[in-house]
Amino acid sequence: SRERAKALLGLAAKQDHARAQNDLGVLLLQEAAHRKDGLRLLEISAGKGYAKAQNNLGMWHERVGRPAGDSEEDASDAPDLSAAIRLYRRAASQGLPLAMFNLGCALLRQAAQRQDEAAAGNDTREAIALLSCAAASGVADAHYFLAVQYQSGRGPDAPNFALAKEHYQCVLVAPNAAPATVARAMHQLANLLYREQQFSSARALYERCAYEHTCADSFNALGIMLEDGHGPLGQPDCRAAARAFEQAQRLGSADAAVNLAALHLRGAGVDRDLAKARNLLRGAPDHPRADALLRRIRLEDRSLAAT
């Protein structure tokens, strides 16, 4: 049980066992009443050079920050990226793959916040080197972050779509990849294949991502492909596109709501229904296409009223 584990770890921690101090600290951080004690144990373990404690303490600083202390100067609950980077760096220097990954991601965040382009470039190059080491050590999420860098044009050889595809594919076959990471990688890989006009392969991946991971963006992309004639029939299939848009819209996609509204406005694959189109567009008020489609609906209303 959890309490039994805490008791046993507590005995070992009192004997100055660094791993026990780390493991107990992690458990206590999950309990609001004992977070201060958990943080103190992590700091003790990290101070002894235990890499996992340094990494865990870095994650705390990056995502949460120190809990309020007893004194004015100690009171702070704001995340501290600089402190996190220092701790990740200590753990990464000992070869801990997860620390390399966390340090790489933290450096990318730091690069995005910098005003100095040269410093940001240095951060990005170091981040990619660290993520590459983490990926080679089996951290699946590192492959995803590398792929994003190469796809977006921020890598050393970027944009490099071939490398981006390679890293996305590594995520898909990684046994330890989180389902959410797999879904994101699958959708982005499909986007790259679509960009290269490999429509059949892109559609197959969108379908897998949509139905296996309930991905709204993939349902929407699938609808666009079907509407544009890149489906199995080799010609526009607005009825099937509407079904895909409906699925995506139910999952919260504003793009799909607008695409479905456009079909109802045209009467393509669905009944021509101006009221339904208007309601769909009202559900996506900030979408860049919504205003233009609403103006078309108002013109249609006036035209119908004049006849």
Side-chain angles (χ1 to χ4, degrees):
S1 70
R2 182 183 179 88
E3 292 305 314
R4 175 69 173 160
K6 283 164 59 178
L8 291 171
L9 288 169
L11 290 173
K14 286 177 182 177
Q15 296 176 33
D16 226 21
H17 193 287
R19 178 176 174 181
Q21 290 164 340
N22 170 74
D23 294 351
L24 180 57
V26 170
L27 287 176
L28 293 178
L29 280 178
Q30 298 167 18
E31 303 173 5
H34 299 110
R35 280 180 186 161
K36 205 170 184 181
D37 293 331
L39 185 61
R40 179 180 57 81
L41 284 168
L42 281 183
E43 288 173 337
I44 292 170
S45 181
K48 293 173 180 172
Y50 190 59
K52 287 185 178 179
Q54 292 165 346
N55 181 65
N56 289 331
L57 194 56
M59 291 169 65
W60 174 265
H61 279 288
E62 182 177 7
R63 300 174 189 181
V64 183
R66 288 187 62 99
D70 294 329
S71 62
E72 183 84 18
E73 60 266 24
D74 290 335
S76 171
D77 59 0
D80 187 340
L81 185 60
S82 296
I85 287 173
R86 287 194 298 272
L87 286 157
Y88 290 147
R89 200 177 290 285
R90 288 167 62 191
S93 70
Q94 299 185 59
L96 188 66
L98 187 56
M100 295 177 191
F101 169 71
N102 285 334
L103 177 56
C105 293
L107 287 170
L108 290 176
R109 283 186 60 198
Q110 180 172 267
Q113 296 170 8
R114 285 193 188 275
Q115 301 297 319
D116 184 336
E117 289 188 11
N122 290 336
D123 284 343
T124 301
R125 282 187 289 275
E126 184 182 2
I128 287 172
L130 286 159
L131 290 170
S132 297
C133 289
S137 299
V139 181
D141 279 11
H143 284 292
Y144 178 79
F145 278 84
L146 282 168
V148 170
Q149 295 305 303
Y150 287 119
Q151 182 178 0
S152 61
R154 293 190 291 267
D157 305 315
N160 189 324
F161 299 123
L163 270 178
K165 287 195 298 181
E166 182 179 317
H167 283 292
Y168 284 136
Q169 287 163 343
C170 286
V171 175
L172 302 191
V173 299
N176 63 339
T181 305
V182 172
R184 290 195 298 268
M186 193 178 295
H187 181 78
Q188 292 299 333
L189 179 56
N191 285 345
L192 287 174
L193 292 170
Y194 183 87
R195 181 182 179 279
E196 295 172 353
Q197 299 188 3
Q198 298 184 46
F199 297 126
S200 179
S201 297
R203 189 180 71 249
L205 277 178
Y206 283 138
E207 287 174 345
R208 275 187 62 195
C209 194
Y211 290 102
E212 292 179 13
H213 297 279
T214 321
C215 176
D217 288 340
S218 288
F219 272 118
N220 182 63
L222 186 58
I224 291 171
M225 290 197 75
L226 292 165
E227 184 180 3
D228 289 346
H230 300 307
L233 300 179
Q235 60 186 25
D237 187 349
C238 291
R239 189 178 298 275
R243 289 196 295 269
F245 291 144
E246 285 168 356
Q247 290 269 27
Q249 187 264 331
R250 280 196 289 269
L251 291 169
S253 170
D255 287 332
V258 171
N259 290 333
L260 185 57
L263 291 182
H264 279 290
L265 181 56
R266 290 161 43 209
V270 289
D271 293 337
R272 190 167 188 272
D273 189 332
L274 299 184
K276 190 162 188 176
R278 187 182 296 107
N279 287 337
L280 285 164
L281 293 169
R282 284 173 178 166
D286 299 324
H287 196 281
R289 291 175 57 207
D291 283 345
L293 288 170
L294 283 168
R295 284 196 295 272
R296 282 182 57 189
I297 290 171
R298 286 194 288 270
L299 286 173
E300 292 279 354
D301 284 338
R302 292 190 195 117
S303 178
L304 289 171
T307 57

